[in-house]
Amino acid sequence: MQDSVQIQSALISVYEKNGLDPIVEKLQSLGVNIFSTGGTADYIEKLGAQVTRVESITDYPSILGGRVKTLHPKVFGGILNRRSEENDQKEISEYQIPPIDLVIVDLYPFEETLASGGTQQEIIEKIDIGGIALIRAAAKNHADVVCVAARTEYEALDAILKDQKGVFSLEQRTNFATHAFHVSSHYDSAIFNYFSEGNGALKLSVPFGKQLRYGENPHQKGSFYGNLDQLFEKHHGKALSYNNLLDVDAALQVMEAFEGLDPTFAILKHNNTCGLATRDNLSEAYKAALAVDPISAFGGILIANQKIDLTTAELIHELFCEVVIAPNFDADALALLKGKKNRIILRQKTNTHTLKMVRSCLNGYLVQDRDEIVDHIDMLEYATNNKPSKSEIEDLLFASKICKQTKSNTIVLAKGKQLLSSGTGQTSRVDALQQAIKKAQTFGFDLQGAVMASDAFFPFPDCVEIAHKAGITAVIQPGGSIKDQLSIDYCNTHGVAMVMTGVRHFKH
């Protein structure tokens, strides 16, 4: 296997022409013979470069509406022939097959067409056949051929053409081939997942990967696969860690339910909300959120649903926190927050997330739909004689949004659009409630007139009894227990309002 390969011929067949101009210019200046097809050939000719059309090699035109262009032995023989094999070279000469040293391909946009809501016919037509075959052939024969399988590789290609005059090392060809097989496997996975609709084998392919300093603990290796640049603009701070990423994900899920609403601020620790409040302005919302549990807030993740101003930033700056997330920052607020060297500051661009949740389990994986349901007023079934007031309904729905994103078993207590406390990750609902009551009382909150949210039904009336005796006046829960009536009867007897949503929000 030769170390260096000098590019003398190139086949270019791309869907998108962006970024092609400087590549063609350098190939022409190096005297490289360019082969091309259809619209790509037209484009190259308009650039003033000489191009040999593939049809002149194969003696066949593009047929079947463009479905067949390059699928021909004279094309694939030019790519796959092994320069060091005597028999290969004899056949190349006998059948007058021109060698091809560089293949540049850009596949049909299958995923983009699917994401845009294309019709079935439009999606099917964006399944690339010739392009994917060219990629596999060129990448397989990377001992002699350079394969550039996506526009993201143009910058690297351009640099080698410029700095090395079209001479590619074996390491460079191998790197291009590795990326090419990544492109082809990702493309095929997307097509399979479209046809399988989640039935059968699980095929995951994420085009971006990054190694982290470590995993959940220093002795564990960790990586993240995804494109964070789509979600955030990082203004400041150290690299996001494995645990940071989990907390940031939890923060975005919590705040998603408050997007577009009144100023809301949340503080999270270990994936659970330890402070959240809605107020008339963001600084007051932050103060109310911090008051919920100022101890847990230390080293937490902070997130706002509105632009952070200087007043709010001055309050935040007094607290040691790992990450601050907001849709935007006033310039003076951002400058102040950058005053802490390691504080991570993220401007949230969007809240786009995967629709499926995947986690390892036993010797395989569990996959489920993301819980997209947010409890709202039209879902409520008024189970008791005493109906909640308007303000209680607002608090019940407020508490429900937090409860949905808290580890089960969980109980959330709230009043006046402020989280008062939550019991998180307990083995019994009674334990979760008692934890929440104790925590609220520890930080000086009056539970008289507060509301309670539960992520699942009450199998016995003990929880509503304990809550009532602590001062809770209204309850929201999914219902569905065969003993729902016991809890309803207790509430009716003691004047507690209860609503049911019919939707459970377990989070494990």
Side-chain angles (χ1 to χ4, degrees):
M1 187 178 292
Q2 56 185 331
D3 182 67
S4 296
V5 168
Q6 172 72 59
I7 300 303
Q8 298 180 18
S9 60
L11 171 62
I12 306 176
S13 181
V14 297
Y15 184 84
E16 290 286 350
K17 314 304 186 288
N18 298 338
L20 202 58
D21 299 29
I23 304 294
V24 171
E25 181 182 346
K26 288 182 177 63
L27 290 174
Q28 187 177 31
S29 69
L30 292 170
V32 174
N33 186 19
I34 300 176
F35 302 100
S36 192
T37 61
T40 306
D42 293 339
Y43 184 84
I44 293 172
E45 287 177 341
K46 288 179 182 178
L47 295 177
Q50 290 186 338
V51 58
T52 301
R53 291 181 177 266
V54 167
E55 299 94 307
S56 67
I57 302 172
T58 62
D59 292 326
Y60 271 92
S62 172
I63 61 173
L64 306 181
R67 281 189 166 195
V68 180
K69 300 175 186 175
T70 58
L71 296 170
H72 193 280
K74 284 199 172 183
V75 174
F76 282 86
I79 297 170
L80 284 165
N81 79 88
R82 293 159 290 187
R83 277 59 165 176
S84 61
E85 290 286 331
E86 185 178 349
N87 286 337
D88 283 13
Q89 296 312 302
K90 284 182 180 179
E91 290 180 343
I92 288 293
S93 176
E94 179 183 354
Y95 296 109
Q96 299 181 337
I97 298 174
I100 297 172
D101 306 316
L102 168 65
V103 174
I104 303 175
V105 181
D106 176 40
L107 297 173
Y108 290 167
F110 175 83
E111 287 183 284
E112 292 83 350
T113 304
L114 180 62
S116 68
T119 65
Q120 184 181 25
Q121 185 59 32
E122 289 170 336
I123 293 168
I124 295 299
E125 288 304 317
K126 290 300 183 289
I127 298 177
D128 206 311
I129 304 300
I132 208 78
L134 290 171
I135 288 173
R136 292 182 65 83
K140 175 178 180 176
N141 201 27
H142 67 277
D144 300 303
V145 179
V146 178
C147 182
V148 178
R151 281 174 290 154
T152 55
E153 299 290 277
Y154 285 4
E155 184 177 353
L157 171 63
D158 186 74
I160 295 172
L161 292 175
K162 177 183 176 181
D163 299 336
Q164 299 172 205
K165 306 303 180 184
V167 177
F168 290 74
S169 69
L170 176 59
E171 181 181 2
Q172 289 168 335
R173 301 194 305 276
T174 302
N175 289 338
F176 278 114
T178 300
H179 185 262
F181 283 120
H182 162 66
V183 169
S184 66
S185 64
H186 178 79
Y187 197 78
D188 285 339
S189 292
I191 295 169
F192 170 81
N193 290 332
Y194 168 71
F195 280 100
S196 71
E197 296 182 334
N199 299 315
L202 171 66
K203 294 188 183 296
L204 296 177
S205 178
V206 183
F208 303 96
K210 179 181 180 181
Q211 188 166 354
L212 305 173
R213 282 179 296 157
Y214 52 79
E216 200 162 7
N217 299 292
H219 62 276
Q220 296 170 272
K221 292 182 179 180
S223 302
F224 174 77
Y225 296 93
N227 186 3
L228 291 177
D229 291 338
Q230 291 180 344
L231 295 178
F232 305 110
E233 177 184 0
K234 185 181 176 186
H235 284 301
H236 184 71
K238 62 183 179 180
L240 286 160
S241 69
Y242 183 99
N243 292 328
N244 286 155
L245 289 167
L246 287 174
D247 284 330
V248 167
D249 178 64
L252 262 60
Q253 290 186 55
V254 168
M255 194 54 70
E256 183 178 24
F258 296 92
E259 285 183 4
L261 302 181
D262 290 339
T264 300
F265 210 105
I267 304 171
L268 288 89
K269 193 74 169 287
H270 294 297
N271 306 161
N272 289 308
T273 306
C274 58
L276 194 150
T278 298
R279 292 291 183 266
D280 292 334
N281 61 68
L282 198 60
S283 62
E284 291 301 317
Y286 170 76
K287 286 191 286 186
L290 180 62
V292 177
D293 184 352
I295 295 175
S296 295
F298 183 84
I301 308 294
L302 279 57
I303 185 168
N305 71 343
Q306 297 190 4
K307 179 193 291 186
I308 291 181
D309 56 20
L310 180 60
T311 302
T312 308
E314 288 172 340
L315 296 170
I316 293 171
H317 198 55
E318 297 174 0
L319 175 73
F320 169 72
C321 57
E322 289 275 337
V323 185
V324 181
I325 310 166
N328 217 331
F329 300 82
D330 282 337
D332 49 3
L334 181 59
L336 176 64
L337 292 173
K338 286 182 176 180
K340 297 290 177 68
K341 178 182 177 181
N342 290 325
R343 179 185 286 152
I344 300 167
I345 304 174
L346 303 175
R347 181 182 71 82
Q348 184 182 347
K349 299 177 183 178
T350 178
N351 202 7
T352 302
H353 52 238
T354 57
L355 297 179
K356 296 286 185 181
M357 301 180 71
V358 182
R359 64 194 299 181
S360 60
C361 180
L362 300 174
N363 62 343
Y365 299 88
L366 285 171
V367 181
Q368 68 170 348
D369 296 335
R370 188 174 291 275
D371 185 354
E372 298 281 2
I373 296 176
V374 178
D375 295 342
H376 55 84
I377 193 167
D378 294 335
M379 296 171 58
L380 302 184
E381 175 190 342
Y382 299 92
T384 53
N385 298 330
N386 185 31
K387 302 298 185 290
S389 65
K390 180 181 177 181
S391 63
E392 284 177 328
I393 290 176
E394 290 177 348
D395 281 343
L396 288 168
L397 295 174
F398 174 91
S400 160
K401 292 173 182 177
I402 301 169
C403 189
K404 171 188 169 182
Q405 302 296 350
T406 306
K407 295 293 184 182
S408 301
N409 287 308
T410 184
I411 292 289
V412 168
L413 306 180
K415 182 167 68 172
K417 294 184 180 179
Q418 179 186 27
L419 171 65
L420 301 184
S421 64
S422 57
T424 63
Q426 298 302 302
T427 52
S428 83
R429 205 153 300 281
V430 170
D431 287 346
L433 173 56
Q434 290 175 335
Q435 181 190 52
I437 292 171
K438 182 178 180 180
K439 195 165 189 177
Q441 292 171 342
T442 297
F443 290 106
F445 288 107
D446 181 6
L447 292 177
Q448 293 297 321
V451 305
M452 173 173 73
S454 174
D455 61 336
F457 62 62
F458 299 114
F460 305 102
D462 46 7
C463 279
V464 291
E465 179 179 356
I466 294 168
H468 165 248
K469 290 179 179 178
I472 303 300
T473 57
V475 178
I476 185 169
Q477 59 130 329
S481 168
I482 59 174
K483 296 182 178 180
D484 274 345
Q485 195 60 45
L486 296 177
S487 294
I488 294 171
D489 289 344
Y490 182 91
C491 289
N492 282 333
T493 301
H494 297 88
V496 177
M498 178 184 287
V499 296
M500 296 182 180
T501 64
V503 178
R504 189 182 73 185
H505 294 295
F506 269 163
K507 189 178 179 70
H508 293 103

